PDB file of all heavy atoms in Angstrom:
ATOM      1  N   LEU A  78      15.399   6.350  -8.021  1.00  0.00           N
ATOM      2  CA  LEU A  78      16.288   5.244  -7.676  1.00  0.00           C
ATOM      3  C   LEU A  78      15.780   3.956  -8.328  1.00  0.00           C
ATOM      4  O   LEU A  78      14.614   3.593  -8.173  1.00  0.00           O
ATOM      5  CB  LEU A  78      16.353   5.082  -6.161  1.00  0.00           C
ATOM      6  CG  LEU A  78      16.686   6.350  -5.380  1.00  0.00           C
ATOM      7  CD1 LEU A  78      16.618   6.092  -3.874  1.00  0.00           C
ATOM      8  CD2 LEU A  78      18.064   6.883  -5.771  1.00  0.00           C
ATOM      9  N   GLN A 111      24.337   8.484  -4.354  1.00  0.00           N
ATOM     10  CA  GLN A 111      24.596   8.635  -2.920  1.00  0.00           C
ATOM     11  C   GLN A 111      25.258   9.973  -2.607  1.00  0.00           C
ATOM     12  O   GLN A 111      24.991  10.564  -1.557  1.00  0.00           O
ATOM     13  CB  GLN A 111      25.467   7.479  -2.431  1.00  0.00           C
ATOM     14  CG  GLN A 111      25.613   7.413  -0.918  1.00  0.00           C
ATOM     15  CD  GLN A 111      26.491   6.255  -0.495  1.00  0.00           C
ATOM     16  OE1 GLN A 111      27.618   6.097  -0.967  1.00  0.00           O
ATOM     17  NE2 GLN A 111      25.963   5.416   0.398  1.00  0.00           N
ATOM     18  N   CYS A 114      22.432  12.373  -2.568  1.00  0.00           N
ATOM     19  CA  CYS A 114      21.547  12.151  -1.422  1.00  0.00           C
ATOM     20  C   CYS A 114      22.264  11.254  -0.416  1.00  0.00           C
ATOM     21  O   CYS A 114      22.207  10.024  -0.512  1.00  0.00           O
ATOM     22  CB  CYS A 114      20.236  11.507  -1.876  1.00  0.00           C
ATOM     23  SG  CYS A 114      19.058  11.235  -0.523  1.00  0.00           S
ATOM     24  N   PRO A 115      22.960  11.841   0.546  1.00  0.00           N
ATOM     25  CA  PRO A 115      23.787  11.060   1.482  1.00  0.00           C
ATOM     26  C   PRO A 115      23.013  10.058   2.323  1.00  0.00           C
ATOM     27  O   PRO A 115      23.620   9.166   2.928  1.00  0.00           O
ATOM     28  CB  PRO A 115      24.422  12.144   2.366  1.00  0.00           C
ATOM     29  CG  PRO A 115      24.359  13.394   1.562  1.00  0.00           C
ATOM     30  CD  PRO A 115      23.104  13.292   0.760  1.00  0.00           C
ATOM     31  N   TYR A 116      21.683  10.178   2.401  1.00  0.00           N
ATOM     32  CA  TYR A 116      20.904   9.220   3.173  1.00  0.00           C
ATOM     33  C   TYR A 116      20.897   7.822   2.543  1.00  0.00           C
ATOM     34  O   TYR A 116      20.563   6.839   3.206  1.00  0.00           O
ATOM     35  CB  TYR A 116      19.447   9.686   3.287  1.00  0.00           C
ATOM     36  CG  TYR A 116      19.235  10.876   4.176  1.00  0.00           C
ATOM     37  CD1 TYR A 116      18.755  12.074   3.648  1.00  0.00           C
ATOM     38  CD2 TYR A 116      19.496  10.825   5.543  1.00  0.00           C
ATOM     39  CE1 TYR A 116      18.539  13.178   4.462  1.00  0.00           C
ATOM     40  CE2 TYR A 116      19.287  11.923   6.364  1.00  0.00           C
ATOM     41  CZ  TYR A 116      18.807  13.096   5.818  1.00  0.00           C
ATOM     42  OH  TYR A 116      18.601  14.186   6.620  1.00  0.00           O
ATOM     43  N   LEU A 117      21.256   7.715   1.279  1.00  0.00           N
ATOM     44  CA  LEU A 117      21.032   6.476   0.546  1.00  0.00           C
ATOM     45  C   LEU A 117      22.005   5.366   0.919  1.00  0.00           C
ATOM     46  O   LEU A 117      23.195   5.602   1.149  1.00  0.00           O
ATOM     47  CB  LEU A 117      21.148   6.724  -0.967  1.00  0.00           C
ATOM     48  CG  LEU A 117      20.145   7.670  -1.603  1.00  0.00           C
ATOM     49  CD1 LEU A 117      20.363   7.718  -3.114  1.00  0.00           C
ATOM     50  CD2 LEU A 117      18.720   7.239  -1.287  1.00  0.00           C
ATOM     51  N   SER A 118      21.477   4.170   0.923  1.00  0.00           N
ATOM     52  CA  SER A 118      22.289   2.962   0.866  1.00  0.00           C
ATOM     53  C   SER A 118      22.290   2.499  -0.588  1.00  0.00           C
ATOM     54  O   SER A 118      21.232   2.459  -1.231  1.00  0.00           O
ATOM     55  CB  SER A 118      21.696   1.860   1.751  1.00  0.00           C
ATOM     56  OG  SER A 118      22.268   0.603   1.432  1.00  0.00           O
ATOM     57  N   THR A 119      23.459   2.149  -1.108  1.00  0.00           N
ATOM     58  CA  THR A 119      23.540   1.727  -2.506  1.00  0.00           C
ATOM     59  C   THR A 119      23.278   0.233  -2.672  1.00  0.00           C
ATOM     60  O   THR A 119      23.274  -0.264  -3.800  1.00  0.00           O
ATOM     61  CB  THR A 119      24.923   2.057  -3.095  1.00  0.00           C
ATOM     62  OG1 THR A 119      25.936   1.385  -2.327  1.00  0.00           O
ATOM     63  CG2 THR A 119      25.176   3.562  -3.073  1.00  0.00           C
ATOM     64  N   ASP A 120      23.020  -0.459  -1.590  1.00  0.00           N
ATOM     65  CA  ASP A 120      22.775  -1.900  -1.660  1.00  0.00           C
ATOM     66  C   ASP A 120      21.568  -2.193  -2.551  1.00  0.00           C
ATOM     67  O   ASP A 120      20.454  -1.750  -2.267  1.00  0.00           O
ATOM     68  CB  ASP A 120      22.530  -2.456  -0.255  1.00  0.00           C
ATOM     69  CG  ASP A 120      22.326  -3.960  -0.253  1.00  0.00           C
ATOM     70  OD1 ASP A 120      22.898  -4.636  -1.125  1.00  0.00           O
ATOM     71  OD2 ASP A 120      21.564  -4.449   0.603  1.00  0.00           O
ATOM     72  N   GLY A 121      21.797  -2.910  -3.636  1.00  0.00           N
ATOM     73  CA  GLY A 121      20.708  -3.272  -4.536  1.00  0.00           C
ATOM     74  C   GLY A 121      20.382  -2.242  -5.589  1.00  0.00           C
ATOM     75  O   GLY A 121      19.566  -2.500  -6.475  1.00  0.00           O
ATOM     76  N   LEU A 122      21.003  -1.058  -5.501  1.00  0.00           N
ATOM     77  CA  LEU A 122      20.762  -0.038  -6.522  1.00  0.00           C
ATOM     78  C   LEU A 122      21.498  -0.409  -7.808  1.00  0.00           C
ATOM     79  O   LEU A 122      22.679  -0.767  -7.778  1.00  0.00           O
ATOM     80  CB  LEU A 122      21.259   1.324  -6.063  1.00  0.00           C
ATOM     81  CG  LEU A 122      20.312   2.248  -5.304  1.00  0.00           C
ATOM     82  CD1 LEU A 122      20.966   3.613  -5.120  1.00  0.00           C
ATOM     83  CD2 LEU A 122      18.988   2.393  -6.006  1.00  0.00           C
ATOM     84  N   THR A 229      13.717  12.723  -3.893  1.00  0.00           N
ATOM     85  CA  THR A 229      14.235  11.366  -4.084  1.00  0.00           C
ATOM     86  C   THR A 229      13.113  10.346  -4.019  1.00  0.00           C
ATOM     87  O   THR A 229      12.320  10.338  -3.072  1.00  0.00           O
ATOM     88  CB  THR A 229      15.297  11.051  -3.006  1.00  0.00           C
ATOM     89  OG1 THR A 229      16.342  12.039  -3.081  1.00  0.00           O
ATOM     90  CG2 THR A 229      15.900   9.671  -3.214  1.00  0.00           C
ATOM     91  N   ASP A 231      12.282   6.179  -4.419  1.00  0.00           N
ATOM     92  CA  ASP A 231      12.618   4.768  -4.611  1.00  0.00           C
ATOM     93  C   ASP A 231      11.536   4.191  -5.516  1.00  0.00           C
ATOM     94  O   ASP A 231      10.425   3.899  -5.073  1.00  0.00           O
ATOM     95  CB  ASP A 231      12.654   4.054  -3.254  1.00  0.00           C
ATOM     96  CG  ASP A 231      13.038   2.595  -3.384  1.00  0.00           C
ATOM     97  OD1 ASP A 231      14.003   2.287  -4.105  1.00  0.00           O
ATOM     98  OD2 ASP A 231      12.361   1.741  -2.762  1.00  0.00           O
ATOM     99  N   ALA A 236       8.321   4.944  -2.301  1.00  0.00           N
ATOM    100  CA  ALA A 236       8.656   5.796  -1.165  1.00  0.00           C
ATOM    101  C   ALA A 236       9.455   6.999  -1.661  1.00  0.00           C
ATOM    102  O   ALA A 236      10.356   6.863  -2.486  1.00  0.00           O
ATOM    103  CB  ALA A 236       9.464   5.018  -0.139  1.00  0.00           C
ATOM    104  N   PHE A 238      10.976  11.236  -0.558  1.00  0.00           N
ATOM    105  CA  PHE A 238      11.245  12.211   0.494  1.00  0.00           C
ATOM    106  C   PHE A 238      12.000  13.393  -0.103  1.00  0.00           C
ATOM    107  O   PHE A 238      12.694  13.272  -1.109  1.00  0.00           O
ATOM    108  CB  PHE A 238      12.036  11.592   1.651  1.00  0.00           C
ATOM    109  CG  PHE A 238      13.279  10.840   1.242  1.00  0.00           C
ATOM    110  CD1 PHE A 238      14.513  11.472   1.197  1.00  0.00           C
ATOM    111  CD2 PHE A 238      13.218   9.491   0.910  1.00  0.00           C
ATOM    112  CE1 PHE A 238      15.662  10.782   0.822  1.00  0.00           C
ATOM    113  CE2 PHE A 238      14.358   8.790   0.532  1.00  0.00           C
ATOM    114  CZ  PHE A 238      15.578   9.433   0.488  1.00  0.00           C
ATOM    115  N   LEU A 245      12.029  16.987   6.878  1.00  0.00           N
ATOM    116  CA  LEU A 245      11.822  16.275   5.627  1.00  0.00           C
ATOM    117  C   LEU A 245      10.336  15.975   5.437  1.00  0.00           C
ATOM    118  O   LEU A 245       9.593  15.845   6.413  1.00  0.00           O
ATOM    119  CB  LEU A 245      12.602  14.947   5.616  1.00  0.00           C
ATOM    120  CG  LEU A 245      14.124  15.027   5.663  1.00  0.00           C
ATOM    121  CD1 LEU A 245      14.714  13.637   5.875  1.00  0.00           C
ATOM    122  CD2 LEU A 245      14.677  15.641   4.366  1.00  0.00           C
ATOM    123  N   PHE A 247       7.822  13.067   3.887  1.00  0.00           N
ATOM    124  CA  PHE A 247       7.786  11.653   3.528  1.00  0.00           C
ATOM    125  C   PHE A 247       6.498  11.344   2.773  1.00  0.00           C
ATOM    126  O   PHE A 247       5.432  11.898   3.093  1.00  0.00           O
ATOM    127  CB  PHE A 247       7.788  10.762   4.781  1.00  0.00           C
ATOM    128  CG  PHE A 247       9.058  10.761   5.576  1.00  0.00           C
ATOM    129  CD1 PHE A 247       9.073  10.266   6.883  1.00  0.00           C
ATOM    130  CD2 PHE A 247      10.255  11.230   5.058  1.00  0.00           C
ATOM    131  CE1 PHE A 247      10.225  10.236   7.636  1.00  0.00           C
ATOM    132  CE2 PHE A 247      11.420  11.219   5.808  1.00  0.00           C
ATOM    133  CZ  PHE A 247      11.405  10.711   7.104  1.00  0.00           C
ATOM    134  N   PHE A 270       6.055   2.941   4.468  1.00  0.00           N
ATOM    135  CA  PHE A 270       7.165   3.847   4.145  1.00  0.00           C
ATOM    136  C   PHE A 270       8.421   3.445   4.922  1.00  0.00           C
ATOM    137  O   PHE A 270       9.514   3.358   4.350  1.00  0.00           O
ATOM    138  CB  PHE A 270       6.781   5.289   4.472  1.00  0.00           C
ATOM    139  CG  PHE A 270       7.919   6.261   4.277  1.00  0.00           C
ATOM    140  CD1 PHE A 270       8.162   6.811   3.041  1.00  0.00           C
ATOM    141  CD2 PHE A 270       8.750   6.603   5.345  1.00  0.00           C
ATOM    142  CE1 PHE A 270       9.221   7.696   2.852  1.00  0.00           C
ATOM    143  CE2 PHE A 270       9.799   7.483   5.169  1.00  0.00           C
ATOM    144  CZ  PHE A 270      10.037   8.031   3.914  1.00  0.00           C
ATOM    145  N   ARG A 271       8.259   3.215   6.208  1.00  0.00           N
ATOM    146  CA  ARG A 271       9.430   2.882   7.036  1.00  0.00           C
ATOM    147  C   ARG A 271      10.071   1.569   6.596  1.00  0.00           C
ATOM    148  O   ARG A 271      11.301   1.431   6.609  1.00  0.00           O
ATOM    149  CB  ARG A 271       9.030   2.841   8.509  1.00  0.00           C
ATOM    150  CG  ARG A 271       8.587   4.209   9.044  1.00  0.00           C
ATOM    151  CD  ARG A 271       8.362   4.169  10.548  1.00  0.00           C
ATOM    152  NE  ARG A 271       7.692   5.369  11.026  1.00  0.00           N
ATOM    153  CZ  ARG A 271       8.274   6.562  11.175  1.00  0.00           C
ATOM    154  NH1 ARG A 271       9.554   6.703  10.881  1.00  0.00           N
ATOM    155  NH2 ARG A 271       7.581   7.600  11.634  1.00  0.00           N
ATOM    156  N   ALA A 272       9.252   0.615   6.198  1.00  0.00           N
ATOM    157  CA  ALA A 272       9.796  -0.663   5.719  1.00  0.00           C
ATOM    158  C   ALA A 272      10.619  -0.457   4.448  1.00  0.00           C
ATOM    159  O   ALA A 272      11.673  -1.086   4.269  1.00  0.00           O
ATOM    160  CB  ALA A 272       8.658  -1.645   5.464  1.00  0.00           C
ATOM    161  N   ALA A 273      10.142   0.424   3.564  1.00  0.00           N
ATOM    162  CA  ALA A 273      10.857   0.662   2.313  1.00  0.00           C
ATOM    163  C   ALA A 273      12.174   1.396   2.552  1.00  0.00           C
ATOM    164  O   ALA A 273      13.216   1.011   2.010  1.00  0.00           O
ATOM    165  CB  ALA A 273       9.974   1.455   1.354  1.00  0.00           C
ATOM    166  N   VAL A 274      12.150   2.454   3.367  1.00  0.00           N
ATOM    167  CA  VAL A 274      13.369   3.235   3.537  1.00  0.00           C
ATOM    168  C   VAL A 274      14.356   2.578   4.506  1.00  0.00           C
ATOM    169  O   VAL A 274      15.528   2.939   4.519  1.00  0.00           O
ATOM    170  CB  VAL A 274      13.070   4.689   3.985  1.00  0.00           C
ATOM    171  CG1 VAL A 274      12.265   5.419   2.926  1.00  0.00           C
ATOM    172  CG2 VAL A 274      12.408   4.745   5.334  1.00  0.00           C
ATOM    173  N   ARG A 275      13.887   1.622   5.299  1.00  0.00           N
ATOM    174  CA  ARG A 275      14.826   0.929   6.191  1.00  0.00           C
ATOM    175  C   ARG A 275      15.935   0.273   5.388  1.00  0.00           C
ATOM    176  O   ARG A 275      17.085   0.173   5.839  1.00  0.00           O
ATOM    177  CB  ARG A 275      14.091  -0.100   7.048  1.00  0.00           C
ATOM    178  CG  ARG A 275      14.908  -0.558   8.256  1.00  0.00           C
ATOM    179  CD  ARG A 275      14.064  -1.404   9.196  1.00  0.00           C
ATOM    180  NE  ARG A 275      12.921  -0.686   9.718  1.00  0.00           N
ATOM    181  CZ  ARG A 275      12.979   0.186  10.724  1.00  0.00           C
ATOM    182  NH1 ARG A 275      14.157   0.466  11.281  1.00  0.00           N
ATOM    183  NH2 ARG A 275      11.895   0.796  11.144  1.00  0.00           N
ATOM    184  N   HIS A 276      15.586  -0.140   4.175  1.00  0.00           N
ATOM    185  CA  HIS A 276      16.592  -0.746   3.299  1.00  0.00           C
ATOM    186  C   HIS A 276      17.276   0.311   2.425  1.00  0.00           C
ATOM    187  O   HIS A 276      18.489   0.256   2.226  1.00  0.00           O
ATOM    188  CB  HIS A 276      15.926  -1.799   2.398  1.00  0.00           C
ATOM    189  CG  HIS A 276      16.840  -2.379   1.364  1.00  0.00           C
ATOM    190  ND1 HIS A 276      17.940  -3.139   1.683  1.00  0.00           N
ATOM    191  CD2 HIS A 276      16.828  -2.281   0.008  1.00  0.00           C
ATOM    192  CE1 HIS A 276      18.566  -3.501   0.573  1.00  0.00           C
ATOM    193  NE2 HIS A 276      17.910  -2.987  -0.457  1.00  0.00           N
ATOM    194  N   ARG A 277      16.515   1.290   1.941  1.00  0.00           N
ATOM    195  CA  ARG A 277      17.059   2.220   0.954  1.00  0.00           C
ATOM    196  C   ARG A 277      17.704   3.446   1.582  1.00  0.00           C
ATOM    197  O   ARG A 277      18.681   3.994   1.056  1.00  0.00           O
ATOM    198  CB  ARG A 277      15.915   2.636  -0.002  1.00  0.00           C
ATOM    199  CG  ARG A 277      16.300   3.554  -1.130  1.00  0.00           C
ATOM    200  CD  ARG A 277      17.441   2.989  -1.964  1.00  0.00           C
ATOM    201  NE  ARG A 277      17.175   1.662  -2.450  1.00  0.00           N
ATOM    202  CZ  ARG A 277      18.081   0.699  -2.476  1.00  0.00           C
ATOM    203  NH1 ARG A 277      19.316   0.930  -2.027  1.00  0.00           N
ATOM    204  NH2 ARG A 277      17.780  -0.499  -2.940  1.00  0.00           N
ATOM    205  N   ALA A 278      17.149   3.936   2.689  1.00  0.00           N
ATOM    206  CA  ALA A 278      17.696   5.119   3.380  1.00  0.00           C
ATOM    207  C   ALA A 278      17.531   4.887   4.873  1.00  0.00           C
ATOM    208  O   ALA A 278      16.648   5.483   5.510  1.00  0.00           O
ATOM    209  CB  ALA A 278      16.987   6.383   2.905  1.00  0.00           C
ATOM    210  N   PRO A 279      18.350   4.022   5.469  1.00  0.00           N
ATOM    211  CA  PRO A 279      18.112   3.536   6.836  1.00  0.00           C
ATOM    212  C   PRO A 279      17.973   4.622   7.893  1.00  0.00           C
ATOM    213  O   PRO A 279      17.186   4.472   8.840  1.00  0.00           O
ATOM    214  CB  PRO A 279      19.344   2.660   7.111  1.00  0.00           C
ATOM    215  CG  PRO A 279      19.852   2.268   5.765  1.00  0.00           C
ATOM    216  CD  PRO A 279      19.538   3.413   4.862  1.00  0.00           C
ATOM    217  N   ALA A 280      18.678   5.736   7.733  1.00  0.00           N
ATOM    218  CA  ALA A 280      18.631   6.786   8.758  1.00  0.00           C
ATOM    219  C   ALA A 280      17.256   7.430   8.867  1.00  0.00           C
ATOM    220  O   ALA A 280      16.936   8.068   9.878  1.00  0.00           O
ATOM    221  CB  ALA A 280      19.681   7.850   8.456  1.00  0.00           C
ATOM    222  N   LEU A 281      16.425   7.258   7.860  1.00  0.00           N
ATOM    223  CA  LEU A 281      15.103   7.874   7.869  1.00  0.00           C
ATOM    224  C   LEU A 281      14.038   6.996   8.512  1.00  0.00           C
ATOM    225  O   LEU A 281      12.959   7.483   8.866  1.00  0.00           O
ATOM    226  CB  LEU A 281      14.657   8.208   6.438  1.00  0.00           C
ATOM    227  CG  LEU A 281      15.597   9.050   5.587  1.00  0.00           C
ATOM    228  CD1 LEU A 281      14.926   9.391   4.253  1.00  0.00           C
ATOM    229  CD2 LEU A 281      16.013  10.315   6.319  1.00  0.00           C
ATOM    230  N   ALA A 282      14.345   5.721   8.660  1.00  0.00           N
ATOM    231  CA  ALA A 282      13.307   4.758   9.035  1.00  0.00           C
ATOM    232  C   ALA A 282      12.690   5.041  10.401  1.00  0.00           C
ATOM    233  O   ALA A 282      11.504   4.759  10.617  1.00  0.00           O
ATOM    234  CB  ALA A 282      13.868   3.341   8.987  1.00  0.00           C
ATOM    235  N   ASP A 283      13.457   5.582  11.321  1.00  0.00           N
ATOM    236  CA  ASP A 283      12.948   5.773  12.683  1.00  0.00           C
ATOM    237  C   ASP A 283      12.780   7.231  13.067  1.00  0.00           C
ATOM    238  O   ASP A 283      12.574   7.549  14.246  1.00  0.00           O
ATOM    239  CB  ASP A 283      13.883   5.069  13.678  1.00  0.00           C
ATOM    240  CG  ASP A 283      13.915   3.567  13.461  1.00  0.00           C
ATOM    241  OD1 ASP A 283      12.834   2.975  13.287  1.00  0.00           O
ATOM    242  OD2 ASP A 283      15.020   2.990  13.453  1.00  0.00           O
ATOM    243  N   LEU A 284      12.833   8.134  12.085  1.00  0.00           N
ATOM    244  CA  LEU A 284      12.616   9.544  12.395  1.00  0.00           C
ATOM    245  C   LEU A 284      11.176   9.772  12.815  1.00  0.00           C
ATOM    246  O   LEU A 284      10.242   9.230  12.223  1.00  0.00           O
ATOM    247  CB  LEU A 284      12.940  10.427  11.183  1.00  0.00           C
ATOM    248  CG  LEU A 284      14.414  10.568  10.779  1.00  0.00           C
ATOM    249  CD1 LEU A 284      14.538  11.516   9.595  1.00  0.00           C
ATOM    250  CD2 LEU A 284      15.254  11.078  11.952  1.00  0.00           C
ATOM    251  N   GLU A 285      10.991  10.592  13.831  1.00  0.00           N
ATOM    252  CA  GLU A 285       9.638  10.901  14.294  1.00  0.00           C
ATOM    253  C   GLU A 285       8.950  11.866  13.324  1.00  0.00           C
ATOM    254  O   GLU A 285       9.586  12.750  12.752  1.00  0.00           O
ATOM    255  CB  GLU A 285       9.693  11.541  15.684  1.00  0.00           C
ATOM    256  CG  GLU A 285      10.183  10.609  16.779  1.00  0.00           C
ATOM    257  CD  GLU A 285       9.222   9.449  17.001  1.00  0.00           C
ATOM    258  OE1 GLU A 285       7.990   9.668  16.881  1.00  0.00           O
ATOM    259  OE2 GLU A 285       9.696   8.337  17.285  1.00  0.00           O
TER     260      GLU A 285
END
Side-chain angles (χ1 to χ4, degrees):
L78 308 176
Q111 189 180 53
C114 182
Y116 289 116
L117 297 184
S118 165
T119 59
D120 182 30
L122 270 188
T229 303
D231 182 46
F238 51 92
L245 296 171
F247 291 164
F270 175 86
R271 295 187 191 284
V274 297
R275 197 171 300 280
H276 174 65
R277 182 55 54 221
L281 306 186
D283 297 315
L284 289 182
E285 293 295 324

